[in-house]
Amino acid sequence: MSTERHINPWLIAVSVMFATFMEVLDTTVVNVSLPHIAGSLSSTIDEATWALTSYLVANAIILPMTGWLASTFGRKRLIMAAVIGFTSSSFLCGLAPNLASLVVFRIIQGATGGVMQPLSQAVLLEAFPPQDRGKAMGFWGLGIVVAPILGPVLGGWLTDTYSWRWVFYINLPFGQFALSGLAIFVRETPI
């Protein structure tokens, strides 16, 4: 008799898609807020673009190291640490008192977010049987396609309705939901 409980793989898919959606959303959600960020933090728009560039560069640097990090620390530990780091740095971005601290927090956000896409794909491929992997990747791809489209719309609405800081605070519920799902439904792979 097996002691391992059966977990519906679609619960895993929803959990990893929330993590990936949050990360991809942040590639575009800040774009429309740059004039407000620049004005609020007493910088030029050209200087404020470092909030975008730092995120993308950190994301690109960490991406190729994901496989090694996952084999060293374990997939579940790494993706959970990434979600915690991403969500925490999002909160800190929202609290940033100046442009320098915002750029530093965006670097942390990009570095922790960079591992989420490949790890979520690996987790999905492990969770689903071969005949269902196409459906799972299609579902996951939905989040990847919708997030960058929704980013500028959501970013503009949040900035106009509340303030630019809310483009970062919006990650808090996504991060909490993703973290809860990952903790409950994803099993650790052997290191």
Side-chain angles (χ1 to χ4, degrees):
M1 189 166 170
S2 174
T3 58
E4 190 173 315
R5 62 190 170 116
H6 174 73
I7 295 174
N8 185 336
W10 289 104
L11 295 172
I12 296 170
V14 169
S15 301
V16 296
M17 192 175 89
F18 265 93
T20 307
F21 179 86
M22 170 177 69
E23 190 270 331
V24 175
L25 182 73
D26 262 50
T27 61
T28 60
V29 75
V30 178
N31 296 357
V32 295
S33 302
L34 283 181
H36 297 273
I37 292 171
S40 176
L41 300 180
S42 302
S43 62
T44 67
I45 292 179
D46 288 339
E47 292 170 333
T49 59
W50 278 102
L52 301 173
T53 307
S54 58
Y55 177 84
L56 295 171
V57 169
N59 203 293
I61 289 171
I62 200 76
L63 192 64
M65 294 189 278
T66 303
W68 176 80
L69 290 169
S71 64
T72 303
F73 300 107
R75 270 191 217 137
K76 181 176 181 176
R77 282 187 209 96
L78 183 59
I79 197 168
M80 287 184 65
V83 171
I84 290 168
F86 189 89
T87 307
S88 300
S89 59
S90 294
F91 180 69
L92 293 172
C93 285
L95 294 177
N98 54 46
L99 185 61
S101 59
L102 178 62
V103 169
V104 168
F105 299 142
R106 284 289 280 178
I107 290 170
I108 297 167
Q109 193 182 40
T112 54
V115 301
M116 284 192 220
Q117 286 186 42
L119 278 179
S120 62
Q121 286 179 311
V123 167
L124 281 179
L125 289 176
E126 185 178 87
F128 281 85
Q131 67 271 16
D132 291 335
R133 288 180 182 161
K135 286 188 260 183
M137 286 298 146
F139 178 72
W140 179 82
L142 180 68
I144 297 297
V145 171
V146 170
I149 295 168
L150 189 60
V153 175
L154 184 61
W157 180 77
L158 287 169
T159 302
D160 285 344
T161 307
Y162 302 104
S163 82
W164 65 267
R165 296 181 186 277
W166 281 92
V167 300
F168 299 108
Y169 295 148
I170 193 67
N171 291 328
L172 301 178
F174 286 109
Q176 180 59 47
F177 186 82
L179 188 63
S180 299
L182 292 168
I184 295 168
F185 303 122
V186 175
R187 63 182 179 84
E188 184 59 88
T189 56
I191 298 175

